[in-house]
Structure formats: C-alpha cells, structure tokens
C-alpha cells in the first residue's frame, strides 16, 4: 500500500524531471529558431538561449566525466566536486551538531524558567533577522586572529543558522504533552528532570525532526555561503565561486557545481529523514 | 489586559538592556579589541556618522528584498492554488519542491547572473524570489491539502462547489501555514539579497558596505551596517507578524476558556 | 461478627475543604465549598454530579495535584503531599495517557523506572500486571495499536504496578463505548477484589456509579458541595446483576438525588 504510493511518487517526480529537461531543451531549441524572440513576435525571450547561457543538458552531464586540473593532479570533475563536497559536508555537520546542542539547551532553559521564555524568545526570533551571513567576513577574521582554521568560522556561521529552528520547535515540543500527562508524572512525584527525560523530550521528537530537517538544509547553506563570503581555499562554495568566474569558458562546470551543491543538500536532508525513520516511525504501523 | 501586555513586553526589554550592558561592560573591562567586538556605544556612534551611506545602502538592499519577497509570495501562493486544483501537478511538483527546498538555493545566484545579466538588479531579485517561493509554496500547498475530511464532507452535504470549499475551508485552513512560511521567508529574503550581492550586481548595497568596511578594518562601521541589515530583517519580520494578526483575528492569543 | 468500621484505617479524609480558582481576579470561581469526605480502606467510592460540580477537582485535591484553598486533605493519615511523595496512590485518567513511544510493558514499568527498580524486577512486575488485566500477549504492542478498552486496561495496570493502597480514577471509562464499558466495570471489580485496593472513582454515569460503588457521593454544582451520600450493597456483582431489582433500585436512588441537585 505505502510501497505502491512511494513508487507512484517516485514515478511522478521522475516524469516531472524529464518534463523539466524537455522544457529546457524545447525553450533552447525555440530560441535558436527565432533568434531569442517569442515565435512570430518582436518580443525578446527573458533568457537568451545560446550555449553559454543555457548549455545543453547533455553537455552538463558529459562535463561530469571530463578531467579537471586541480593543483598538480588532474581528476574527473565528479571526483573533484565530491572532494569539495566532503569538506563542505564536514563544516555543515559540525555546524549542525553545535546548532542542535545550543538550540536544545536554549529550549530547555526557556522551558525551565518562564521569565527566560518571555525574555529570550523574542530575541531568538530577532536573531534570525540578523543576516549573520553578513557577519561572515568578521567571524572569519576573528577566527583567523585566534589562529583557528577557516573551518571553525564557517561552522560557527552554520551553527548560527541552525540553532534557531531547533530552539523554537524544541520549546514547542517540550511544551506539547497534555496536562494529564504532566499530572501523571506529578502523581508519581517525579522530579523535573525525570519528567523532562521520560516525558517531554520523547514527546518533543515529532516537533524536533522537522526542525532538524530545516536545520540540516540551513547548515549546508551556511557552510556554502560562509565559504563564498570569506574566500576559503576549498569547499563547494569555493568551487561555485571559481566556476562562476570562469563561466565564459566552461559554463557547464558552474551548472555541475550548483547541481553538486543541490545533491549535498538532498543528501543531508536524506540523512535526517533516515534518522527520523529509525527513531520514530519504525514499527509503529497501526494494526487494528 | 494592560497588566498582561506589560508582562509580555517587560522581560524582553530587561533581557535586551542587560545584554547590551553586559556587552558594553565586558568589552570595556577586558579591553577587547575593536577587531573582535566593538562596543555597542561605538557602533551607535557610527550609525550617526555614516548615516547617509548606510541609509542609501539599506534602501537599495531593501528594495531588492521587498520586491523579491512580494513576487516570491505571490508566485508561491498562486502555484499552491494551481497545484491544489490539479492533482497531477500536486503529485509531481510538491515532492520536487520539497527536494529543491532542501538544497542551497542561494547557490543559484551565479546562474541567474548568467541568465539575466549582472548590470541590473533583476538577477539578485530572482535569487530572493526563488528563496521565498519554495517555503511559501510548500507550506501553503500543505495547508490547502491537509483539511479535515469532515469539513469537506460537511461542505459537500451543503452541495457546495469546489470554489466555495476552497474559499470557506481550504484557504482559512491554509492561513496559519502560510503565516508560518512568511515568518520564515521574510528574514530569508534579506539574507538572500545580501548573499546574491557577493556574486555581482550594483555595488552600493549593505553587503558591500559590510565587506569593504571589514576589509579596511573599520569594524564599528561594519557592525553598524549589520545593525541596519538587522533592522531591515526585523521590519520585514514584523510586517509578517502584523499581516498574520490582521488576516487571522480568530487566532489572537489569550483565549477565554479555563481549566 | 465484629464491627469492622472502627478497626479499618481511614484511607482518605477531607475536612471542610474549599477550592477557589483565579482567586482575586475577575473570573474567580468557587469550585468546592466545605467538603467533608471519609473513605475507609477497601471502600469503592464514586463521585458523581453534573458537569462543573467539582468532582474532578476533588479527586485532584486527594491526589495533591491541586492544593485546597482552605481545609485539610489526609491520605492514610498523612498530608496529601506526603502521600504523593510516598506513592500511596495510583491514578487513571479519562484518556489513558499512555506514552505513544513506549510499548505496553514499558508503559506499565514507567512508575517503577522512576522509583529506580531494577530491570529484572520491573519485568517480573509488568508480567504480573499484564496477567491481572489479561493482556499478556500484547506486551510488545504500542498504545496506538490497541483498542480504547485495551489502552484503559494498560493504564489501570500502570496505576497498580507499584501496588498502591489507593486507586484514583477520573472518568476512566468515559471515552469507551457502552459494551466495552460494562465489560471494563466487571473487570475493574475483579481487580478491586483481587488486590483489595481502595478506589475513588469519578464518573458522570448513573448506572456505572451504582454498579461499582459501595458508596456513591453526589455533588451539587456552583459552588461544589456534597449533596448526599448513598450506600449501595449489591454484593458480588456480575453482568447479571444489571438485571437485578436491587441494581435498579440503586440507580433510581442515585438518579433521584441528581434530580434533586438539578432542581436546586
């Protein structure tokens, strides 16, 4: 039943992807015929269709196996991008882990003291309106002054983007148990901390996982943008920046690197989904 | 009522003042260098000194964020309504949108530059539109879809048309979801506008002010620019909250029911 | 035969207890006024009354989940607070309140875990409890996989797992269908007889109160007061008892008391 549904979803998504590729190629073909005008009119197309602006999807795909010079060695673009992605993944993973720890601690802190909730929650909301991305150059200067590698600064930026959804959803999840559940723990004369561990934290899981998913995506965004804004020597963000500068020569490479970034985002998202399945959903089908 | 409002405003104000005082105090007492962390008072001073530059830069970035935000919201809601009407589209596009939303959309900035050129601001606006579109679309589509079957059955028992069901059941149901996505998208639009700047476009905007001041070791100016950008984000976030209140008067907190 | 009433200990004694909610504000509510209630060990007491009469509030005073505004609540001769700290009672709510993420055994073992029992001991006890409520083969199921009646039986097993001398039940069968409900009543009486636990049972069902109780306490609303106490003696009850004239008489008595309450 669910298997069939999953199969159907995969199928529709695949068809949609194929349609998008066809749309891309169709638009390109049409533009080539009409010299970048809407057919039969004088109106120009919004995006021109030459091979520089819109390379053939096949060419982007082929480029992946092409060799690229990286320092002294040459290696296929796929391997090159995978190496960069691994570095970015590490930064994102550190940022994510720190963000989850900080977010959960804040949530528990606000749960414990009502004044803390009232006093801090508005500021936590405000914190997200501070474009920390803009702080990136400063954060990294700071990290360099302390003698830390750039990775530390970048991970901190990822942490900043990550802690917010965890703190906010975490608090909501910790506050989610029914009053009768709280009364039950109270009737056992359970301490605050055992109520937290036995009741509130497990009950918060359905709230936390969507937050983790958002946080995972944001940690990748933070890592890539951090790399771009501070000019590290490696990482996927660096690759995107490099290729965007040499766009006139190899447009396919920019597309490949952006696709690699998307795949990294999806990979991290998939990891959190898998963790969710392991922790919550496994073996919980309703029988009746 | 009045007492309640005070109780909700006072704690954040106290935390804010104590926080600022701690910041100022720590920097002064421990003699922390401006490079690491300037004092709030010197940032404040720079806000006045560099006001005309900062105001112009914030205005330029603000135009891109707000226009991109509005267009992104419009397209997101429109697409959600269309997807709700045609099941095939919903099945095919929604999972894809969720997947795309899990990717770093800002990385599209250089591609948009290639498409739309780097002389104007449209490439940057396009990044903001893309960043805003996906969360708005996903959440609104979810709200339109996840309606309690009983409510649909009730409407069908009144022989209501699809259009009436949309207006009376689906849209009200989707409003909280939409509002949530707005709260998420509003600050994101500022971040996206600043990130897009790193890849090109006119250089008289807030992100450039931050990077160039940081480059010249004028950290207090950089922080003043960050404060301006935060103000912009806060303004958009606040507008999202106000919109939420106005569109859903029935969800204003402080309900009457007791125990 | 000797008179037992003197020898038996008082399980619960409530003396001129008042409860006021939102004291001093515009929506102040006098929930309970001058409540006197005595429950002897081994008794099965029902609290019944129209909605808003404060029967659940009274139960929560006994459980020390709420404190009285005035008056005194004693459980087994101690303050209600001490009784809660000593875990002298188990509680069952209307909604089973089982934790979705724990299977049936783990739910029953929750209070034992909090008391620091060893895993082996917990295991032995949860087995016994599952046997008591006749759910042995469902020990590995999750609450959502069970029917409402089964969930409520798990909830009772959880409340009894640490062998409290008092069982407090807040409309435990209120969400069940009539058939299941009658079945659960017979089961509860069996468990009550087997364990000898004292029960205080909140309900809004007249036949339920009459069928289960040795004494029905009728409360009147706004403010909540004890209107009358009706002693019932149906002896050894089975499903057939529901067709006995004595049962009919008991329900009539309770119903008339409630009508008198409504008339006020």
């Amino acid at each position: 039943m669910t298997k069939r549904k999953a199969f159907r979803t995969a199928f529709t998504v695949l068809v949609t992807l194929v349609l998008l590729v066809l749309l891309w190629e169709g638009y390109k073909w049409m533009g080539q015929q009409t010299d970048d005008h809407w057919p039969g009119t004088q109106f120009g197309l919004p995006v021109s269709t030459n091979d520089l602006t819109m390379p053939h999807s096949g060419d982007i795909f082929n480029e992946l196996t092409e060799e690229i010079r990286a320092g002294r060695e040459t290696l296929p673009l796929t391997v090159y991008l995978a190496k960069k992605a691994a570095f970015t993944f590490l930064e994102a993973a550190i940022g994510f882990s720190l963000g989850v720890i900080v977010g959960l601690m804040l949530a528990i802190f606000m749960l414990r003291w009502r004044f803390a909730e009232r006093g801090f929650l508005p500021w936590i909301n405000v914190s997200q309106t501070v474009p920390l991305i803009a702080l990136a150059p400063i954060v990294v200067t700071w990290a360099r002054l302390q003698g830390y590698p750039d990775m530390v600064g970048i991970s901190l930026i990822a942490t900043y983007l990550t802690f917010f959804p965890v703190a906010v959803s975490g608090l909501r999840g910790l506050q989610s148990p029914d009053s009768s559940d709280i009364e039950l723990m109270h009737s056992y004369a359970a301490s605050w901390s055992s109520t937290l561990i036995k009741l509130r934290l497990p009950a918060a899981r359905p709230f936390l996982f969507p937050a983790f998913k958002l946080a995972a995506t944001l940690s990748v965004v933070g890592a890539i943008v951090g790399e771009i804004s501070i000019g590290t020597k490696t990482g996927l963000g660096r690759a995107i920046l490099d290729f965007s500068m040499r766009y006139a020569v190899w447009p396919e490479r920019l597309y490949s690197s952006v696709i690699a970034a998307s795949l990294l985002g999806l990979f991290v998202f998939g990891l959190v989904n898998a963790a969710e399945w392991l922790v919550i959903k496994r073996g919980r089908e309703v029988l009746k | 009522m009045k007492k309640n409002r005070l109780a909700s405003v006072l704690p954040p104000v106290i935390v804010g003042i104590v926080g600022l005082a701690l910041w100022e105090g720590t920097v002064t007492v421990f003699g922390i260098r401006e490079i690491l962390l300037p004092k709030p008072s010197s940032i404040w001073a720079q806000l006045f000194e560099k006001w005309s530059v900062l105001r112009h830069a914030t205005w330029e970035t603000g135009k891109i964020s707000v226009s991109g935000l509005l267009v992104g919201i419009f397209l997101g809601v429109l697409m959600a309504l269309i997807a709700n009407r045609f099941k095939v589209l919903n099945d095919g596009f929604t999972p894809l949108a969720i997947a795309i939303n899990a990717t770093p959309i800002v990385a599209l900035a250089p591609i948009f530059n290639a498409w739309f050129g780097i002389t104007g601001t449209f490439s940057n606006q396009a990044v903001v539109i893309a960043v805003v579109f996906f969360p708005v679309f996903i959440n609104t589509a979810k709200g339109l879809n996840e309606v309690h079957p009983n409510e649909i059955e009730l409407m069908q028992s009144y022989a209501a048309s699809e259009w009436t069901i949309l207006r009376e059941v689906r849209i009200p149901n989707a409003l909280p979801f939409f509002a949530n996505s707005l709260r998420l998208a509003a600050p994101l639009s500022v971040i996206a506008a600043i990130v897009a700047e790193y890849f090109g476009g006119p250089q008289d905007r807030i992100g450039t002010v931050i990077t160039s001041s940081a480059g010249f070791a004028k950290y207090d100016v950089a922080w003043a620019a960050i404060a301006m950008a935060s103000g912009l984000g806060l303004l958009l976030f606040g507008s999202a909250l106000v919109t939420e209140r106005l569109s859903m008067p029935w969800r204003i907190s402080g309900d009457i029911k007791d125990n | 035969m000797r008179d037992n009433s003197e020898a038996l200990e008082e399980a619960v004694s409530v003396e001129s207890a008042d409860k006021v909610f939102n004291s001093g504000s515009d929506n102040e509510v006098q929930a309970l006024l001058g409540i006197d209630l005595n429950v002897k060990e081994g008794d099965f007491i029902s609290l019944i009354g129209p909605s808003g009469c404060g029967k659940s509030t009274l139960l929560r005073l006994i459980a020390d989940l709420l404190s009285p505004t005035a008056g005194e609540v004693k459980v087994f001769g101690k303050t209600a607070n001490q009784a809660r700290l000593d875990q002298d009672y188990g509680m069952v709510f209307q909604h089973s309140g089982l934790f979705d993420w724990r299977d049936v055994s783990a739910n029953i073992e929750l209070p034992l875990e909090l008391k620091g029992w060893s895993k082996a001991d917990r295991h032995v006890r949860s087995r016994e409890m599952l046997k008591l409520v006749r759910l042995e083969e469902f020990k590995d199921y999750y609450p959502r996989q069970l029917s409402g009646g089964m969930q409520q039986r798990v909830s009772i097993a959880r409340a009894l797992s640490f062998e409290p001398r008092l069982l407090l039940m807040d409309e435990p069968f209120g969400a069940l269908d009539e058939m299941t409900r009658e079945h659960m009543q017979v089961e509860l009486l069996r468990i009550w007889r087997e364990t000898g636990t004292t029960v205080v049972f909140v309900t809004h069902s007249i036949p339920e109160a009459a069928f289960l109780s040795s004494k029905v306490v009728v409360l009147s609303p706004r403010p909540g007061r004890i209107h009358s106490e009706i002693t019932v003696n149906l002896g050894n009850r089975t499903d057939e008892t529901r067709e006995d004239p004595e049962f009919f008489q008991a329900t009539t008595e309770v119903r008339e008391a409630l009508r008198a309450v409504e008339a006020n």
Side-chain angles (χ1 to χ4, degrees):
Chain A
M1 180 75 179
T2 42
K3 217 173 189 173
R4 231 186 80 195
K5 205 184 149 207
F7 182 76
R8 236 191 52 193
T9 309
F11 182 73
T12 1
V13 170
L14 205 68
V15 169
T16 316
L17 274 175
V18 170
L19 282 177
L20 283 178
V21 171
L22 286 179
L23 191 68
W24 175 275
E25 293 295 334
Y27 176 87
K28 188 172 162 67
W29 179 83
M30 181 186 81
Q32 302 283 312
Q33 304 304 308
T34 61
D35 193 22
D36 285 352
H37 288 84
W38 290 106
T41 67
Q42 291 303 307
F43 297 112
L45 292 174
V47 177
S48 70
T49 57
N50 57 57
D51 284 348
L52 194 58
T53 315
M54 291 182 70
H56 275 296
S57 44
D59 288 343
I60 297 173
F61 193 73
N62 283 334
E63 187 69 22
L64 288 173
T65 55
E66 295 285 314
E67 303 273 295
I68 177 173
R69 286 259 307 279
R72 252 171 254 145
E73 47 178 355
T74 55
L75 61 176
L77 184 62
T78 327
V79 178
Y80 175 83
L81 288 174
K83 280 185 166 178
K84 303 276 175 188
F87 186 80
T88 305
F89 173 73
L90 189 59
E91 292 166 339
I94 295 172
F96 176 81
S97 315
L98 282 178
V100 167
I101 293 169
V102 172
L104 275 180
M105 276 167 40
L106 273 172
I108 291 170
F109 174 65
M110 290 188 289
L111 174 76
R112 186 71 185 86
W113 290 286
R114 203 166 155 60
F115 182 86
E117 182 191 344
R118 291 185 165 189
F120 280 84
L121 197 55
W123 288 108
I124 287 178
N125 279 312
V126 168
S127 79
Q128 287 315 288
T129 69
V130 177
L132 191 92
I133 301 298
L135 261 174
I138 296 174
V139 171
V140 169
T141 319
W142 172 80
R144 281 180 185 160
L145 276 173
Q146 306 290 313
Y148 297 136
D150 288 349
M151 190 184 238
V152 173
I154 295 171
S155 296
L156 280 182
I157 292 166
T159 302
Y160 188 85
L161 286 180
T162 308
F163 90 90
F164 171 74
V166 178
V168 172
S169 304
L171 178 63
R172 219 176 325 143
L174 291 172
Q175 291 172 340
S176 70
D178 282 347
S179 58
S180 69
D181 290 345
I182 305 284
E183 278 186 332
L184 179 74
M185 295 304 281
H186 209 64
S187 80
Y188 296 146
S191 66
W192 188 83
S193 60
S194 34
T195 306
L196 179 71
I197 292 165
K198 303 273 184 208
L199 171 61
R200 291 187 187 273
L201 276 175
R205 284 178 305 185
F207 292 78
L208 280 173
F209 274 100
F212 289 163
K213 286 178 203 170
L214 187 60
T217 305
L218 289 174
S219 71
V220 175
V221 172
I224 288 181
V225 171
E227 287 166 1
I228 289 169
S229 61
I230 68 167
T232 42
K233 293 183 188 63
T234 186
L236 216 41
R238 181 73 210 185
I240 292 173
L241 197 61
D242 282 348
F243 291 142
S244 75
M245 284 166 181
R246 274 175 255 150
Y247 186 74
V249 196
W250 292 300
E252 297 87 0
R253 288 193 179 170
L254 174 61
Y255 281 94
S256 306
S257 60
V258 171
I259 290 171
S262 311
L263 291 178
L264 177 61
L266 283 178
F267 172 67
V268 172
F269 187 69
L271 279 185
V272 178
N273 272 297
E276 177 183 30
W277 184 81
L278 278 177
V279 174
I280 306 187
K281 297 200 171 143
R282 193 180 41 165
R284 291 293 174 76
E285 309 84 46
V286 177
L287 296 184
K288 273 181 208 174
Chain B
M1 188 67 200
K2 226 169 196 170
K3 203 172 139 196
N4 274 338
R5 181 161 295 175
L6 195 70
S8 70
V9 169
L10 207 58
V13 169
I14 292 174
V15 169
I17 291 173
V18 170
L20 275 179
L22 270 179
W23 179 353
E24 181 89 26
T26 324
V27 174
T28 317
V29 171
F30 294 98
I32 294 171
R33 282 184 295 167
E34 291 277 289
I35 303 176
L36 294 182
L37 194 65
K39 282 183 285 193
S41 56
S42 42
I43 297 171
W44 183 249
Q46 289 303 326
L47 271 179
F48 283 99
E49 195 148 315
K50 297 279 187 303
W51 177 246
S52 64
V53 177
L54 290 174
R55 198 199 55 190
H56 176 74
T58 310
W59 177 246
E60 292 301 316
T61 304
K63 277 195 292 193
I64 292 168
S65 313
V66 172
S67 57
L69 179 64
L70 292 178
V71 176
I73 292 169
F74 175 76
L75 291 178
V77 171
L78 186 70
M79 191 66 195
L81 289 171
I82 294 173
N84 184 250
R85 195 73 192 80
F86 304 99
K87 198 173 159 3
V88 183
L89 207 65
N90 200 17
D91 290 353
F93 191 68
T94 308
L96 197 69
I98 292 172
I100 294 175
N101 199 41
T103 68
I105 297 171
V106 284
L108 284 176
I111 289 183
F112 285 164
N113 282 340
W115 283 4
F116 307 117
I118 51 170
T119 43
T121 53
F122 185 68
S123 307
N124 294 167
Q125 279 164 317
V127 177
V128 180
I129 291 170
V131 164
V132 170
F133 171 82
F134 287 98
V136 171
F137 166 74
I138 291 169
N139 282 290
T140 311
K142 196 174 173 194
L144 290 173
N145 269 327
E146 290 182 0
V147 177
H148 201 283
N150 280 356
E151 293 181 6
I152 301 285
E153 278 174 1
L154 177 74
M155 293 305 283
Q156 281 169 344
S157 78
Y158 298 150
S161 64
E162 269 299 316
W163 168 244
T164 316
I165 294 179
L166 180 71
R167 205 185 52 219
E168 296 297 331
V169 180
R170 293 190 188 277
I171 291 181
N173 189 63
L175 275 176
F177 292 81
F178 172 68
N180 257 341
S181 73
L182 268 197
R183 269 185 275 167
L184 203 69
L188 270 181
S189 71
V190 181
I191 293 180
I194 292 177
V195 174
E197 248 178 276
Y198 291 131
F199 288 96
Q203 295 295 299
D204 56 347
R205 286 177 281 156
I206 203 77
T208 317
V209 174
I210 296 168
T211 22
S212 63
S213 324
F216 290 115
K218 287 185 190 155
Y219 290 99
D220 43 1
V221 182
W223 278 91
I226 287 167
M228 291 296 285
S230 311
L232 178 61
L234 200 55
L235 190 71
L236 295 187
F237 183 71
S239 318
L241 290 186
V242 171
T243 316
E244 186 178 344
R245 281 284 162 91
L246 292 181
S247 60
M248 291 182 288
W250 64 91
R251 267 172 58 107
I252 287 179
S253 50
D255 34 347
I256 308 154
K257 66 168 189 251
D258 204 355
N259 61 72
Chain C
M1 249 179 95
R2 75 190 174 94
D3 182 24
N4 268 345
S5 58
E6 287 306 307
L8 282 174
E9 205 187 328
E10 292 266 282
V12 177
S13 88
V14 180
E15 261 176 62
S16 49
D18 296 352
K19 180 67 192 176
V20 182
F21 285 113
N22 305 320
S23 182
S25 79
D26 297 343
N27 41 1
E28 181 178 300
V29 181
Q30 177 87 44
L32 293 172
L33 185 65
I35 300 288
D36 290 301
L37 178 71
N38 289 300
V39 181
K40 292 203 170 53
E41 190 141 25
D43 261 1
F44 196 126
I45 300 284
S46 285
L47 305 177
I48 193 170
S51 64
C53 70
K55 50 193 190 291
S56 285
T57 306
L58 178 54
L59 194 76
R60 278 168 174 71
L61 290 187
I62 299 169
D64 187 44
L65 296 173
L66 294 171
S67 318
T69 315
E72 200 179 33
V73 181
K74 291 229 148 133
V75 177
F76 298 115
K78 321 171 201 178
T79 62
N81 181 257
Q82 192 57 46
R84 178 170 68 84
L85 296 178
D86 293 349
Q87 295 288 282
D88 285 330
Y89 69 85
M91 192 149 179
V92 179
F93 297 91
Q94 177 174 8
H95 296 285
S96 61
L98 300 174
F99 292 174
D100 282 344
W101 53 88
R102 286 170 167 257
D103 65 18
V104 166
S105 310
N107 263 297
I108 295 174
E109 289 171 25
L110 172 70
L112 308 177
E113 235 174 275
L114 290 166
K115 290 179 144 222
W117 284 36
S118 78
K119 200 167 183 174
D121 290 349
R122 295 201 308 253
H123 226 70
V124 172
R125 179 55 60 80
S126 72
R127 280 303 157 74
E128 288 170 20
M129 285 299 130
L130 281 166
K131 210 168 157 197
L132 180 70
V133 297
R134 296 179 173 151
L135 283 175
E136 292 105 311
E137 65 269 46
F138 293 99
K139 67 182 175 58
D140 295 328
Y141 280 57
Y142 284 96
R144 288 196 186 183
Q145 298 172 308
L146 304 177
S147 68
M150 287 155 103
Q151 288 179 9
Q152 213 47 275
R153 276 193 274 173
V154 177
S155 179
I156 292 171
R158 180 179 62 184
L160 293 174
S161 62
F162 49 92
E163 300 186 308
R165 295 147 79 196
L166 174 64
L167 189 56
L168 303 176
M169 306 182 89
D170 188 10
E171 299 190 31
F173 307 146
L176 303 180
D177 63 82
E178 197 60 30
M179 296 291 288
T180 315
R181 195 172 182 149
E182 292 193 349
H183 178 66
M184 289 297 292
Q185 289 164 1
V186 175
E187 285 286 286
L188 177 62
L189 283 177
R190 175 183 62 79
I191 293 166
W192 173 63
R193 271 192 299 268
E194 282 178 24
T195 57
T197 318
T198 312
V199 181
V200 179
F201 188 101
V202 168
T203 180
H204 55 240
S205 157
I206 295 165
E208 184 164 86
F211 184 74
L212 290 174
S213 322
S214 44
K215 188 163 80 181
V216 180
V217 177
V218 181
L219 286 98
S220 66
R222 278 173 296 274
R225 290 176 213 254
I226 291 180
H227 172 268
S228 52
E229 296 185 4
I230 299 157
T231 309
V232 187
N233 195 356
L234 294 176
N236 211 354
R237 284 145 286 182
T238 63
D239 270 324
E240 281 70 49
T241 313
R242 293 181 207 281
E243 282 142 34
D244 283 356
E246 285 93 345
F247 174 65
F248 178 74
Q249 201 198 329
T251 52
T252 307
E253 217 176 317
V254 176
R255 186 170 288 119
E256 277 171 359
L258 280 166
R259 282 205 184 128
V261 164
E262 295 276 313
N264 280 340

